[in-house]
Amino acid sequence: MPHLKDEELGKKDDDHRLPPARSRFLPQLSKFPRPRRLIAAFIGLVLVYQFFKHMPTDLRPARERYDPRFRQQNPLPPPPTSPQSPVVPQIDIPSDSGMQGEKNKGGLYDGKIKLYELASSLPTDKHPENVLSGAVLFAGSDLHCITDMLPLACRMAREQQNHVHLALFGKEEVSVDGIKQVNGIVESDCPIVWHDSRPDYAAQSTDDRVARSVKGGLRFIETYIAPEVIITGRKDWEDPFFFGGLERHLWEVGTPHIALPTTSRDLMWMASIESTALKVWNDIRVDMVVHASQSAGSLVRLLRSLDAADYLGFTPKLTIELPRK
Amino acid sequence: MDPVEASLRTVESFYPLNPGVSHLLILSPDTEVAPSFYHYLKYSILAYKQSARTSTSQLIGISLELPSTKPTTKEDYSLSPFPEAKSGHIPSFLWQAPNSNAALYFGDKWAEFHSFLSHRLDSPEPKASIPSSEKLVSTRYPSFMEYLLEMMQAKGYYILYPSFPGTGASSLVTVHQDLSQTPEEFIQDTKNGVDENKDADDVEMMPPGKTPNQASTIMTLFDTFDLGLPNIETLPLLSFDGEELTQEKLTQQTKEYSQQFRTLHGGCSSDQEGAGYSPSDLFCLEG
């Protein structure tokens, strides 16, 4: 009886108990003179078999796999949606904490982040520190925002004052080529560098996972391109998770950020401004001083016109100096 | 209030917190601004002040107004036709004339004007105030303009003026004349009859105040002109009197003016140049 023999073996060697499924082979093994070594070798073979059986089929380019800088987490086969294991909501751990495994949150994937496409568009070497890159990064997640920024980005690239990059983040599933096609972008007419920094399983991911992928992607772009300034759409037009990740990145790195106050077609003049000037976009202050005369009529006319003006999202200070009398 | 007091009051109404990026926009109550004026200001500040490549230390500000007359006390008010723009960009020119109707002054230059004015009004001989016979700027304008003009001439500074309102494109500001009043520091002079006739003449010369361009952005400008700004060195340069200058001529005039200024108002004598005062110092005062 194989079962009896199996039990005897188990008594003989408690430390190397085999999986029950393999037990029927053991009688043969026990005939050999040095069972311990052979069992160890067998376990080794099983492990090798298991490795090849579960080897990931969605292999990325070698550079991504072997360069740890491009690999946010260790490769693991992620089951994107597995609602069969309802898990108590957990505190999210940022991607850079080294924590393994994935979590489920309302059926959405919250596991390790992999940016498959980003590495292919980044330069091979890190940008040297303390050297101005002359680069301007347009970044976006919402397709409408990206579509809105494209004319400005293309125009800026054509003006040749700055190196213009455009990076896609977030959950949209449209390919870069698709976006180009929809917007009628011709490569020769729009010499910008495109980056696809969307994570794997983007559409099925939790907002927090995507926010972490935004922050992670921006960090790579910072390391390899070091943009002088990041231009995005308006905060209330963009996806909240995009701004969540962006703001965490800006807080850490301190790159100046311009959230376009209005549609980019009204701001096309920005295309001719060089990156060193765009950097102080948010710092420029204009204080207005009016020396009022004794008649109030003209002052009212001035104040009405000042009130009707557009200040690009800023609030200038107005001082009215009244006459002495 | 006398002109000295009024000038001090104006200059002290603003001090830049961060001279590199905080700027002063002086507006007269007669001005009406276009909804897009701030876009133009931001564009010009970024292009001409904050850009490493195009900025120049001699530019002290940006005017929104293209004056229809020169601010001078002389008989000849009219501005000659502007030099043709050499490129398809937004036409502008540089003019060594201050403006009080609608002009932005850069923070660092306004800080310099603070220091200039405090030295200038401290100078013992002759009196700090400028007698009306020596005034170059008409009393239709606030008194600080006279001192600002002195600083501009002594340092070779100029202001960027837009000339596109002159070429048919809509303006960024309108300076109305209907309710215009003489600055309070000069009201007494006007009552005494010094300026009365002059003022009456001026009003007749003014075109009727049109409403400025009501577009909410400056993009309509770029329907007419190319995007981008011309290099500041290629722009036409005018002296206070409206005479066209070359950069060399401006340097020469500045040198002559500043030497004269040093002896007249700076308390310097010709032998002081070796005693720790460089020729660029306009004042040779203790402390």
Side-chain angles (χ1 to χ4, degrees):
Chain A
M1 286 276 286
H3 283 84
L4 279 175
K5 279 170 190 164
D6 186 29
E7 270 185 63
E8 280 166 22
L9 179 74
K11 280 169 190 162
K12 273 165 85 181
D13 195 349
D14 275 347
D15 292 341
H16 295 275
R17 187 191 293 271
L18 288 174
R22 309 285 178 222
S23 57
R24 70 183 105 165
F25 296 113
L26 288 176
Q28 285 175 306
L29 288 176
S30 62
K31 290 175 192 161
F32 288 90
R34 307 182 79 173
R36 270 194 179 202
R37 190 169 296 176
L38 283 166
I39 289 166
F42 177 75
I43 290 170
L45 280 171
V46 168
L47 286 175
V48 167
Y49 167 75
Q50 290 288 335
F51 173 78
F52 280 105
K53 191 183 170 194
H54 292 107
M55 194 170 72
T57 50
D58 52 345
L59 275 184
R60 292 158 294 141
R63 185 154 154 262
E64 261 180 80
R65 275 183 287 132
Y66 293 118
D67 189 342
R69 293 170 304 192
F70 287 105
R71 196 183 49 195
Q72 285 217 324
Q73 278 85 31
N74 297 326
L76 100 163
T81 47
S82 45
Q84 74 273 16
S85 56
V87 172
V88 190
Q90 293 177 49
I91 296 165
D92 296 312
I93 291 153
S95 57
D96 45 2
S97 71
M99 174 97 175
Q100 298 274 341
E102 71 258 23
K103 288 155 278 174
N104 273 308
K105 215 181 189 183
L108 291 172
Y109 182 50
D110 196 24
K112 294 297 170 188
I113 298 158
K114 277 175 276 181
L115 306 171
Y116 288 133
E117 305 294 334
L118 181 58
S120 60
S121 61
L122 290 178
T124 44
D125 296 315
K126 289 187 180 182
H127 190 272
E129 279 180 43
N130 305 322
V131 176
L132 289 180
S133 65
V136 172
L137 175 71
F138 286 84
S141 142
D142 181 86
L143 270 189
H144 290 104
C145 282
I146 290 162
T147 304
D148 181 70
M149 286 192 298
L150 265 174
L152 176 59
C154 292
R155 187 67 192 263
M156 190 179 281
R158 286 204 300 276
E159 292 289 322
Q160 299 184 335
Q161 303 279 343
N162 306 306
H163 302 296
V164 181
H165 298 258
L166 192 145
L168 305 173
F169 298 89
K171 294 184 177 184
E172 298 282 358
E173 285 177 311
V174 188
S175 68
V176 168
D177 285 334
I179 292 173
K180 284 185 198 170
Q181 208 175 351
V182 166
N183 291 287
I185 303 290
V186 185
E187 206 76 38
S188 59
D189 202 32
C190 185
I192 62 177
V193 183
W194 291 75
H195 303 278
D196 188 348
S197 183
R198 291 173 292 192
D200 53 337
Y201 303 104
Q204 296 89 14
S205 294
T206 61
D207 284 359
D208 189 69
R209 180 174 188 266
V210 182
R212 278 184 281 133
S213 83
V214 170
K215 180 170 173 274
L218 283 168
R219 201 172 50 203
F220 286 124
I221 292 173
E222 173 63 32
T223 310
Y224 286 85
I225 293 166
E228 309 272 337
V229 59
I230 298 174
I231 298 178
T232 68
R234 273 171 65 150
K235 189 172 182 177
D236 53 345
W237 293 357
E238 259 295 358
D239 295 319
F241 50 77
F242 171 69
F243 257 79
L246 173 74
E247 279 167 359
R248 269 181 269 168
H249 172 76
L250 296 173
W251 188 79
E252 280 180 15
V253 178
T255 311
H257 166 227
I258 302 173
L260 294 176
T262 180
T263 171
S264 83
R265 288 192 185 276
D266 288 345
L267 300 168
M268 290 299 275
W269 45 268
M270 288 176 77
S272 63
I273 306 290
E274 62 176 60
S275 58
T276 46
L278 289 174
K279 274 164 91 163
V280 294
W281 176 275
N282 296 315
D283 302 328
I284 291 175
R285 292 280 171 275
V286 174
D287 284 12
M288 305 189 288
V289 173
V290 180
H291 291 268
S293 58
Q294 278 156 5
S295 100
S298 55
L299 185 64
V300 170
R301 181 173 54 201
L302 170 65
L303 294 182
R304 279 214 185 101
S305 70
L306 287 174
D307 186 48
D310 177 57
Y311 296 94
L312 297 166
F314 295 90
T315 317
K317 199 176 131 199
L318 171 67
T319 308
I320 299 172
E321 296 263 353
L322 296 172
R324 279 282 166 90
K325 288 173 197 167
Chain B
M1 186 154 51
D2 67 16
V4 170
E5 211 180 321
S7 301
L8 278 172
R9 199 163 160 239
T10 306
V11 77
E12 281 164 8
S13 58
F14 172 76
Y15 196 87
L17 281 175
N18 180 350
V21 288
S22 88
H23 311 301
L24 166 69
L25 176 64
I26 290 188
L27 291 167
S28 113
D30 300 325
T31 304
E32 185 180 358
V33 298
S36 63
F37 86 98
Y38 193 81
H39 290 220
Y40 176 80
L41 272 186
K42 188 110 176 182
Y43 179 44
S44 309
I45 293 169
L46 289 171
Y48 284 124
K49 180 64 179 172
Q50 321 289 168
S51 294
R53 200 158 19 81
T54 50
S55 70
T56 157
S57 61
Q58 282 173 292
L59 185 70
I60 66 163
I62 295 155
S63 171
L64 293 171
E65 183 205 18
L66 171 67
S68 50
T69 58
K70 290 186 271 187
T72 173
T73 50
K74 289 188 189 159
E75 291 298 312
D76 176 26
Y77 293 108
S78 57
L79 262 174
S80 47
F82 300 103
E84 286 289 311
K86 287 168 192 159
S87 62
H89 298 118
I90 291 185
S92 309
F93 65 103
L94 306 169
W95 191 12
Q96 200 167 39
N99 185 295
S100 64
N101 283 331
L104 178 120
Y105 292 94
F106 298 137
D108 51 350
K109 302 298 182 194
W110 198 257
E112 187 180 346
F113 186 43
H114 266 259
S115 136
F116 174 87
L117 199 64
S118 67
H119 281 116
R120 174 71 176 82
L121 300 180
D122 263 357
S123 56
E125 260 328 298
K127 251 184 108 235
S129 65
I130 302 163
S132 51
S133 58
E134 284 175 25
K135 268 182 70 64
L136 292 173
V137 180
S138 160
T139 52
R140 288 180 288 127
Y141 299 94
S143 54
F144 82 92
M145 293 261 283
E146 193 73 43
Y147 297 104
L148 189 55
L149 177 62
E150 281 186 354
M151 184 176 93
M152 290 174 77
Q153 291 188 319
K155 299 288 249 178
Y157 290 160
Y158 39 72
I159 290 177
L160 181 81
Y161 281 81
S163 53
F164 51 87
T167 60
S170 303
S171 54
L172 297 162
V173 293
T174 301
V175 179
H176 295 274
Q177 300 298 325
D178 49 354
L179 298 167
S180 162
Q181 289 201 338
T182 307
E184 54 176 332
E185 60 266 31
F186 296 123
I187 283 175
Q188 202 55 42
D189 291 352
T190 317
K191 279 180 184 159
N192 295 342
V194 176
D195 252 18
E196 214 163 343
N197 296 331
K198 206 175 273 180
D199 267 12
D201 284 346
D202 293 344
V203 173
E204 278 168 31
M205 288 171 66
M206 300 299 169
K210 281 181 285 184
T211 314
N213 183 5
Q214 289 304 299
S216 60
T217 75
I218 53 169
M219 289 314 295
T220 45
L221 272 179
F222 298 110
D223 297 340
T224 319
F225 306 112
D226 294 347
L227 198 58
L229 287 164
N231 193 330
I232 206 152
E233 280 142 24
T234 66
L235 293 176
L237 172 63
L238 302 184
S239 75
F240 177 66
D241 286 330
E243 174 201 352
E244 196 166 352
L245 296 175
T246 59
Q247 192 67 41
E248 295 75 45
K249 188 95 188 288
L250 174 72
T251 313
Q252 180 60 30
Q253 281 191 0
T254 305
K255 200 178 161 196
E256 284 165 17
Y257 186 92
S258 60
Q259 275 171 358
Q260 201 186 339
F261 185 91
R262 282 155 52 84
T263 25
L264 244 137
H265 303 293
C268 306
S269 52
S270 48
D271 57 332
Q272 265 181 311
E273 273 187 23
Y277 296 103
S278 77
S280 61
D281 288 331
L282 292 174
F283 299 95
C284 306
L285 303 167
E286 293 303 316

